[in-house]
Amino acid sequence: MATTIPDELIWPDSFPTRGHGLPPEMFDILRRERPIAPVVFPSGHRAWLVTRRTDITAIGSSRNFSRNLTCPGSQRIAGDDFNSVPGGIFNLDPPEHTTVRRIVQPFFNPAAATALQPAIALAASDLATALREGPNPADLHRAYAHPLAATLACDLMRVAPSQRRKIVPRLRSQVDYTTPAAKIDTSTRWMLDFATEVIEAKRADYDNGREPRDPVEALIRAHDQGTITAEHLHATVMYLFVTSAEPVTGPVTTGVYTLLRHGDQLARILRDPGLWPTAVAELLRLHHNGMTSMPRLALADTELQGVRIRAGDAVVTPWVAATWDPEHYKQPERFRLDRSTREDPAITFGTGPHFCLGVNIARTYLQTALSTLFTQLPDLALAAKHEDIAWEPDTYLFTRPTELPVTWS
C-alpha cells in the first residue's frame, strides 16, 4: 500500500519510527518521490528536508548555506538551545569558524587521539571488569557506555569528574527537541555560566608562557592575544562540553546492540580484531548518531531537484538519510563488513567546513570501547528480546536505547 506524503511534514509525527535505532521509512519514500520537502519542527519553524546523499553533501560543502543560527527567530529545531549562542564554533562560518577551529584542532587531530587511547583503554578495561564482576544482568548504558564517555570528556577537557557532573542534569534539555522553550533557555544560560566558571578556574591556573594543555586553555590564550572574542571563547567552551561525551555515548550502546544481533559478524571481528575500524564505520553508517541534523540557512536563492530554496530558508540534511541512499549503498538496511570502498561511510562525520572536529577521537574511542568490552566479555548477550528494548524518541538528538540489558556467563 502506497504511503501518501503530506503537503507539509511534521517532525516527528510524520516520521513513524522503523525501530531498532534505524531511520524512518519516510526518508526512503521522500528520497524517491520528494527529495526536497517542507517540514515543521517542534519549535514551529519550517525548513526544507533533504534526503538524497548528493544534495546533502553538496549543501554541507557549499558556502551558500550558513550554520549561523544565532539571529533572533532563526529557524532552529527546538528553540533557544546551544545553536542560539553567538560565537560558538558550531554557529560560525568561515573565516571566523576557520580561526576558532585552528585554535582547538591540535587537541582533536590524529596524534591527540593516539595520545588519549591508553587512557580510554584503561578506563574501558576497568569498567568492563566491574561489569563482569557486578550484578548480572546489567544495563550496559548505565554501567559502561555512559561512565566511559564521561571519563573521556574529563580527560579531554582536563576537568575533575565532580565539576563535569554539574552539567549532566542540563544536557538532556539541550538535546531533546521537545523540551519546553523556557527550560531550554534556562539551561542554555546556566551552561554559559558553567563555561565561565571553567574558564575562570583554568585562567587562574594557566601560565601564558607555556603551551596550552587542553582546548579551553588554548581558547583562553587566543582570547588574551586578541585572536578571538569573548563570545568565541565562552560559547565554544560551552559547545565543547555539550558535545564532549553525548555524541560517543549512543554509538557504544547502539553498537553493542547491533553486534549482538549479528553474531556471525561479531564472531568474525573477534577472530580478526583488525576489522574493528571497519565495524565502527559500518555501525555509524547504519545508525549514524541521530535522525536529523542542525539546520543551515540559505544565503542565496538555490535550486535543488526542481525546488526553489530562497535566501533565508532553512534546510535540514540528515546524514543518516545520506548513508541509507541506495544509489550509493547496496542494501543500506543491512549491517555488512564487506562494503565497497566506493560506499564511503566517512560522510557520517559531515562534509565541508563543519566536518566533525572530533572525528579522530570518536573513531579511536569507539574502536577501543567496543573491542575492550568484547575482549573481556566475549560471551556478552542481550538479556531481553531485541524487539522489547526501548529507544530514545526521535525527538532526542542522539540515537540509542534508553537502556540495554545484557548478560554473560
Side-chain angles (χ1 to χ4, degrees), residues 120-170:
I120 297 168
L122 179 61
S125 180
D126 289 345
L127 286 167
T129 298
L131 178 66
R132 186 179 63 240
E133 296 176 353
N136 184 358
D139 174 12
L140 184 104
H141 175 73
R142 182 179 296 274
Y144 187 78
H146 183 270
L148 185 59
T151 298
L152 170 69
C154 291
D155 288 348
L156 179 63
M157 305 292 283
R158 290 184 65 255
V159 296
S162 59
Q163 187 175 33
R164 186 187 175 277
R165 277 196 291 269
K166 295 178 183 179
I167 71 169
V168 172
R170 277 81 178 179

Side-chain angles (χ1 to χ4, degrees), residues 53 281 285 319 323 329 343-351 355 359 363:
R53 171 180 153 154
R285 182 207 64 79
W319 295 101
T323 61
Y329 304 93
E343 297 176 290
D344 177 21
I347 63 162
T348 297
F349 292 97
T351 57
F355 182 77
V359 57
R363 285 171 172 158

Side-chain angles (χ1 to χ4, degrees), residues 105-123:
Q105 185 69 57
F107 301 94
F108 297 90
N109 64 22
T114 299
L116 272 175
Q117 197 277 337
I120 297 168
L122 179 61

